[in-house]
Amino acid sequence: MSDRREFRDLASPEEAHEVVAGLDIDPAPETVPLADARDRVLAERVDADIDVPGFDRASMDGYAVRARDTFGADEADPVTLSVAGEVHAGEKPDVTVESGVVAEISTGAVMPPGADAVVMVERTTETDDDGVEIRTSVAPGDNVMLAGADIAAGARALGPGTRITPREIGLLSALGVDEVPVRGRPQVGILSTGDELVRPGDPLDSAAGQIYDVNSYTLAGAVAEAGGNPVMYPHAGDDYEEMERLLHEAADECDLVLSSGSTSASAVDVIYRVIEERGELRLHGVAVKPGKPMLVGTIGDSAYVGLPGYPVSALTIFQTFVAPAVRDAAGRDPPQTATVSGTMAVQERYGEGRRRLMPAGLVEDETGSLLVYPVDKGSGATTSLVDADGFVDVPPGTDYLAEGEAVDVTLFSPAVRPPTLLGMGEDDPLLSCLLDTVSRPRYLPLGSTEGLRRLGNGVPDIAVVAGPTSSDHEATDIGGWQREWGLVVSPDTDVSDLGDLVDGDYRFVNRDTASGLRRSFDDALDTFGEKRGVGRAELIDAIDGYELTTKAHESPARKVLAGDADAGLGLRATAAKLGLGFVSLGTQPVRVLANPDRREKDSVTEFAETIDDIDSLIDGMAGMAGMEPQ
């Protein structure tokens, strides 16, 4: 019988927060050079050891004087005094100001002995005999910054817990501080587990089920943003001894160890055994979705948190439970822009009893107000990391979030901003080029059918549809183009028309039913069947791979290129790009439809203007075979 760990007595989210907060991850203070102090947090008070400025200095260009020598002077009755010399900034004065004598002085220069005020140059006139007329009276201290006026020796300059920005660096520089005592950054070791993982940059064998390691880099960025110092370790397979070795190495070197994956109830999930045998397991399982298989414990003197393996789940649980502890250890305050408020763009049903952290995207409506929409591609979808801006904390027992309901979104990063243009629908190579002309767009290639449905629900700014489509929803057509579609084939495959595909022994790759290409292909099959007097079902049975569908416009062609298929549904532009053969089955219109309420939104207007000039874009772009303005 396999050894499986069951999730019993799941901890509440509140309990999980307390357990993580109780971990000791506080690093020792350290001293860093002033040049490296930006964005660090002071560990102790800094007092001024010197006066700033360290001398009485002129705050204007003019003449250093004895104030009493100017009493009574004005425009009608100026006082004439003799000029004894000059004092420039950065020089030690070599002149003394006595009664009836002045010294010409530059801004920032040391006040010469005897002088107690400065008359600004605009209120003086030079005479021919090395004298100067003073046309105003001044009081002692006028236009002079006294020593210590900025900050005096012995004064408290900065307190512990101060986050060092450029202005604090300026003050520390003025005090002559070249080394700064700061809070240490917690060292956070990061291990991604799983035999299937490969580091980006290394060769990938997709046929063997390998995938690139997403979590190590994602979590490293999140750790750094929270104020920690991420340390990435080689990914661990599901081998007990190797995982144990890496966990202990990380624990010896770091204040906190994070792992992702291998925390669910599975025979290969061995991390919990490492914790129980070498440390202390304080929590296993939290009543929250996603994140049920969360682990919290210690390994020796180091804290440990095990995160889910799916990237969105791992990031969500880190930001919810772990990031606050890292910020606290680093002395960092929560970012002020970590949460934004908006209203639900659509209703979202939810029937489970657990608390839910719902991935969500943001878009601004025509008035600039934030709308929130659910992003759910399945917890294993890596693109949800960029399609979602954060998550909505849905309390347990919630049946649904209503359209128009006010919600708070916890952002995955304080740097997150809503896209300027949100589009959904058909994927297309020319569309990708058009989106490159927009600043900060977001496009979800959900297919024509789904794009129309979402547009009808009022979520996106635009929907892109191709081929035969129908909709009862209102939309504003802002332009489009034509594309040539058909069968992308291997150069050594004897497929010249649809009949060859039906009658021959060829392996075919189709598109998903939401795609406009699929709709056109099915219509072509119906027409072909009418000529032969057979139904679509019979033709489908004759095509090997008709039910093998993909979601991206290049995917069938790439199957052909890899030798996994003889023909695939696609575009002439794709065939030309990949050097494959092409059998044309017709042309297809691609239309860009705008949400009527957002037709005047700046980004929609600008996108429409770009489409109006699409012929020049096609002429200037390589790889646009089969694309024509419409």
Side-chain angles (χ1 to χ4, degrees):
M1 181 179 294
S2 62
D3 178 19
R4 298 179 63 88
R5 168 56 57 101
E6 300 295 334
F7 296 106
R8 303 182 188 277
D9 301 325
L10 295 178
S12 68
E14 293 75 19
E15 182 182 353
H17 276 294
E18 291 179 5
V19 172
V20 175
L23 296 172
D24 181 10
I25 62 175
D26 291 342
E30 58 182 321
T31 299
V32 299
L34 181 62
D36 298 330
R38 187 184 66 82
D39 212 33
R40 300 298 296 269
V41 177
L42 275 179
E44 59 187 61
R45 189 183 73 246
V46 175
D47 292 339
D49 289 334
I50 60 172
D51 286 331
V52 178
F55 53 90
D56 297 344
R57 68 182 182 187
S59 57
M60 311 246 158
D61 288 344
Y63 292 89
V65 300
R66 289 175 179 256
R68 62 177 176 269
D69 287 346
T70 69
F71 291 169
D74 57 24
E75 293 287 342
D77 187 18
V79 173
T80 301
L81 303 173
S82 61
V83 180
E86 300 177 356
V87 183
H88 298 289
E91 296 179 354
K92 184 176 182 178
D94 59 0
V95 61
T96 298
V97 175
E98 299 174 344
S99 179
V101 174
V102 301
E104 188 175 353
I105 195 166
S106 302
T107 301
V110 178
M111 290 290 288
D116 58 8
V118 172
V119 178
M120 53 194 214
V121 69
E122 292 85 353
R123 306 302 298 273
T124 66
T125 302
E126 293 182 359
T127 65
D128 293 335
D129 53 354
D130 294 327
V132 62
E133 288 185 349
I134 306 296
R135 304 193 307 276
T136 186
S137 60
V138 291
D142 281 358
N143 302 321
V144 175
M145 178 175 279
L146 300 177
D150 196 346
I151 186 169
R156 185 179 189 270
L158 297 170
T162 301
R163 188 169 178 175
I164 301 173
T165 71
R167 61 182 183 179
E168 283 78 23
I169 288 176
L171 175 55
L172 292 168
S173 299
L175 294 174
V177 175
D178 62 342
E179 291 187 334
V180 187
V182 295
R183 293 277 294 267
R185 285 176 171 163
Q187 297 283 110
V188 182
I190 298 172
L191 292 83
S192 289
T193 63
D195 291 328
E196 75 281 9
L197 297 180
V198 176
R199 279 286 171 88
D202 292 341
L204 184 74
D205 186 356
S206 296
Q210 291 182 342
I211 59 174
Y212 281 120
D213 177 6
V214 174
N215 285 345
S216 289
Y217 292 91
T218 303
L219 292 173
V223 165
E225 195 169 64
N229 182 34
V231 182
M232 291 195 295
Y233 289 84
H235 86 270
D238 291 323
D239 175 77
Y240 177 84
E241 292 183 357
E242 176 65 6
M243 195 176 298
E244 181 182 38
R245 185 189 68 79
L246 287 170
L247 284 170
H248 278 281
E249 179 182 342
D252 290 341
E253 298 172 348
C254 299
D255 302 296
L256 168 67
V257 179
L258 297 178
S259 71
S260 60
S262 292
T263 57
S264 62
S266 168
V268 298
D269 297 340
V270 299
I271 285 184
Y272 76 88
R273 283 185 278 163
V274 176
I275 304 302
E276 287 183 331
E277 293 176 6
R278 308 294 183 182
E280 178 188 3
L281 183 63
R282 298 183 181 179
L283 181 150
H284 188 188
V286 182
V288 64
K289 178 182 180 181
K292 175 182 174 181
M294 179 181 174
L295 293 171
V296 182
T298 59
I299 306 174
D301 294 330
S302 178
Y304 168 78
V305 176
L307 301 170
Y310 288 135
V312 176
S313 300
L315 183 60
T316 300
I317 295 303
F318 174 84
Q319 296 287 32
T320 303
F321 296 101
V322 186
V326 175
R327 283 195 295 265
D328 185 63
R332 302 279 288 269
D333 294 325
Q336 292 184 349
T337 57
T339 303
V340 296
S341 298
T343 57
M344 289 293 295
V346 292
Q347 177 176 283
E348 174 71 356
R349 292 195 173 276
Y350 180 61
E352 295 189 34
R354 274 187 291 160
R355 176 182 174 188
R356 182 187 182 192
L357 305 177
M358 181 188 76
L362 302 173
V363 63
E364 291 183 345
D365 66 10
E366 63 280 5
T367 67
S369 299
L370 277 182
L371 296 178
V372 181
Y373 60 92
V375 175
D376 188 7
K377 292 186 173 183
S379 55
T382 304
T383 51
S384 292
L385 286 171
V386 291
D387 292 343
D389 297 302
F391 58 87
V392 177
D393 193 335
V394 185
T398 302
D399 293 327
Y400 65 91
L401 297 175
E403 179 182 349
E405 182 174 345
V407 293
D408 291 331
V409 180
T410 300
L411 302 178
F412 283 137
S413 166
V416 166
R417 298 292 182 273
T420 55
L421 180 76
L422 176 64
M424 301 179 183
E426 193 78 6
D427 54 346
D428 179 89
L430 182 53
L431 172 65
S432 295
C433 296
L434 287 169
L435 291 171
D436 288 343
T437 68
V438 180
S439 173
R440 213 172 68 247
R442 176 179 296 151
Y443 189 79
L444 307 183
L446 307 175
S448 294
T449 303
E450 188 64 13
L452 278 174
R453 187 185 74 82
R454 300 286 185 98
L455 188 68
N457 290 341
V459 177
D461 298 315
I462 61 169
V464 180
V465 300
T469 56
S470 60
S471 174
D472 297 330
H473 303 295
E474 291 186 10
T476 303
D477 194 321
I478 61 173
W481 57 94
Q482 293 269 4
R483 63 184 187 179
E484 191 174 2
W485 71 279
L487 304 176
V488 180
V489 298
S490 172
D492 56 1
T493 298
D494 296 327
V495 176
S496 59
D497 56 26
L498 191 55
D500 290 339
L501 182 67
V502 172
D503 298 331
D505 185 18
Y506 299 108
R507 181 66 170 164
F508 176 66
V509 181
N510 208 345
R511 284 295 310 278
D512 59 292
T513 56
S515 165
L517 282 177
R518 172 65 174 268
R519 298 284 295 274
S520 291
F521 182 65
D522 287 347
D523 285 355
L525 281 180
D526 289 340
T527 301
F528 182 79
E530 290 174 0
K531 293 179 180 179
R532 284 198 174 184
V534 298
R536 187 195 296 182
E538 184 175 338
L539 297 176
I540 288 174
D541 288 340
I543 299 175
D544 180 17
Y546 176 88
E547 302 294 345
L548 177 61
T549 65
T550 62
K551 289 187 174 295
H553 73 272
E554 282 194 4
S555 296
R558 290 191 175 274
K559 290 281 189 181
V560 174
L561 185 66
D564 297 330
D566 302 299
L569 184 59
L571 304 173
R572 177 178 289 279
T574 303
K577 173 184 176 181
L578 300 179
L580 296 170
F582 184 72
V583 177
S584 179
L585 295 179
T587 58
Q588 185 182 64
V590 180
R591 305 306 301 170
V592 181
L593 307 178
N595 185 328
D597 293 333
R598 296 183 215 158
R599 178 60 184 87
E600 301 307 316
K601 187 175 175 179
D602 289 345
S603 59
V604 176
T605 300
E606 293 169 4
F607 198 60
E609 293 172 352
T610 302
I611 297 174
D612 287 342
D613 195 33
I614 200 169
D615 51 345
S616 61
L617 182 64
I618 294 174
D619 292 341
M621 296 294 296
M624 291 294 111
M627 300 288 182
E628 296 181 357
Q630 187 178 51

